[in-house]
Amino acid sequence: MRLRIRVASALWDIGGADQADTVLPVLPAAWENDDDSTRAVITCLDRMGPAALPALPRVQAALARPHRYERRRTGSVALGLGIQDTCRNITARLRALPLQPRTCP
């Protein structure tokens, strides 16, 4: 899964908004299956700005979780707080967007 996240992130960095339809399905799916990938996924979502709007429910769900890291390892609290901060920033920015009409494919 982590390779998929790196590839999706690289696609976004290279192609920007033109790659949103390719990148968006990969990030939440990879995150769902691997909590250790959280930082990489939210970092990419943060860079995506408004294009990350479809991932907002997943970001909000991450904020609702009381414990993000069950493993005892150095820096896990700081990492968890950083993830929480980034998720709050993403949520605030995406909620501030004007409502866009949704279209069905």
Side-chain angles (χ1 to χ4, degrees):
M1 281 298 170
R2 292 182 188 166
L3 178 60
R4 294 177 78 192
I5 295 167
R6 286 193 297 255
V7 170
S9 183
L11 280 173
W12 177 260
D13 291 342
I14 294 166
D18 290 340
Q19 295 298 322
D21 290 341
T22 303
V23 171
L24 275 171
V26 172
L27 296 176
W31 188 5
E32 188 70 31
N33 296 319
D34 180 9
D35 264 353
D36 289 338
S37 67
T38 301
R39 182 171 55 178
V41 171
I42 65 162
T43 298
C44 186
L45 291 173
D46 193 31
R47 288 193 317 270
M48 291 176 72
L53 187 60
L56 182 58
R58 181 68 175 100
V59 173
Q60 291 171 319
L63 280 172
R65 288 183 56 197
H67 302 288
R68 284 167 186 76
Y69 292 92
E70 297 297 328
R71 297 183 193 147
R72 294 176 187 248
R73 58 183 168 191
T74 305
S76 65
V77 172
L79 179 61
L81 291 173
I83 287 168
Q84 188 176 32
D85 186 51
T86 303
C87 285
R88 281 191 184 119
N89 290 336
I90 292 168
T91 299
R93 280 198 318 267
L94 294 179
R95 283 185 176 170
L97 293 173
L99 292 178
Q100 301 291 325
R102 295 186 182 224
T103 58
C104 295

